[in-house]
Amino acid sequence: MAEHTVEHEKHESESLIDKITEKLHDADPSSSDSDGDNDIKSAASAVKSKIYRLFGREKPLHKVLGGGKRKCLAADIFLWRDKKVSAGVLGAATVIWVLFELLEYHLLALVCHILILGLSIVFLWSNTASLIKKSRPRIPEVVIPEDIVRDVASAFRSEINFALAILRDIASGKDVKSFLAVIAGLWVLSVLGSCLNFLTLFYVGFLLLHSVPLLYEKYEDQVDAFAEKAEAELKKQYAVFSSQVLSKIPRGPLKDKKFL
């Protein structure tokens, strides 16, 4: 059914594009280019509105993840725009997971050992530089800017407030579908948390962020077609559940009752 829908939409888009082309060829040569551009843009928007996209998005995946005119490091990393940077970030996360999970290294011990090694190298280099007739190492002065700390704190604050507002709306009982979805998601996370520790769960999520967006961007049409079919089936099952269960739940304020 989904394949038939996709093929039907493709035929509609091709026929619409053919009509646009014929219209442009049959148009008066004295007509301005702006009119033709407006026709093309309106026709393209009409075609896009008929195509189903996952989560109802209208922008490309790169822009959804934050990419665009400004260079977004997260979007470039997750979609492997710069393979060296993406591989480096994934490799660093893998090394951290191997050290703490497989080798059972502790964070405090690792930080202390790194500091011991770094300070020893710099100290020996500074003291032996005059003997080997080389310049002493220039130790940069590292200062954390106040603006960066404020921006990071403000970003976290806005995201936390947004999440709390969503949870408040869900708990108010206005949207039963969102409530059930959040409950199911939290239950899945609780099951995963009982099987995996936090570091392994975080690493698995990091791997998914480096693989799922890339695969979705590569097989976008197939995934959207399958998602459209799955969403239609879920809506059908939810309608049955709502008519048989949710519709029987009393709503509204409870009336005061006197108990003898």
Side-chain angles (χ1 to χ4, degrees), residues 20-114:
I20 295 169
T21 307
E22 292 175 0
K23 183 177 180 180
L24 291 176
H25 283 295
D26 296 338
D28 188 5
S30 61
S31 61
S32 60
D33 295 334
S34 60
D35 295 335
D37 294 337
N38 293 330
D39 293 338
I40 293 174
K41 289 180 180 179
S42 61
S45 62
V47 173
K48 288 181 180 180
S49 63
K50 294 182 179 180
I51 299 176
Y52 176 86
R53 291 302 180 191
L54 191 62
F55 302 118
R57 63 181 181 85
E58 297 179 355
K59 298 179 181 180
L61 185 60
H62 187 262
K63 290 186 177 180
V64 172
L65 294 177
K69 293 182 179 180
R70 293 183 178 181
K71 186 176 181 180
C72 180
L73 187 59
D76 294 338
I77 289 175
F78 294 147
L79 294 177
W80 292 78
R81 292 292 189 265
D82 192 344
K83 295 183 179 180
K84 292 182 179 180
V85 175
S86 299
V89 172
L90 184 60
T94 304
V95 169
I96 293 173
W97 180 74
V98 170
L99 286 175
F100 291 115
E101 184 64 23
L102 298 183
L103 301 181
E104 296 182 353
Y105 223 103
H106 297 284
L107 178 61
L108 183 60
L110 178 63
V111 172
C112 291
H113 290 168
I114 292 175

Side-chain angles (χ1 to χ4, degrees), residues 148-163:
I148 294 179
V149 177
R150 287 181 178 179
D151 293 339
V152 173
S154 178
F156 274 107
R157 174 179 171 274
S158 61
E159 293 297 332
I160 292 173
N161 289 336
F162 180 71

Side-chain angles (χ1 to χ4, degrees), residues 138-177:
R138 295 181 179 179
I139 303 174
E141 183 180 358
V142 180
V143 177
I144 300 176
E146 185 177 356
D147 296 337
I148 294 179
V149 177
R150 287 181 178 179
D151 293 339
V152 173
S154 178
F156 274 107
R157 174 179 171 274
S158 61
E159 293 297 332
I160 292 173
N161 289 336
F162 180 71
L164 291 176
I166 292 177
L167 292 177
R168 181 177 179 275
D169 291 338
I170 292 174
S172 63
K174 297 179 181 179
D175 191 351
V176 180
K177 185 186 293 186

Side-chain angles (χ1 to χ4, degrees), residues 187-197 201:
W187 181 77
V188 171
L189 285 178
S190 66
V191 173
L192 293 176
S194 62
C195 300
L196 305 173
N197 57 21
L201 188 61

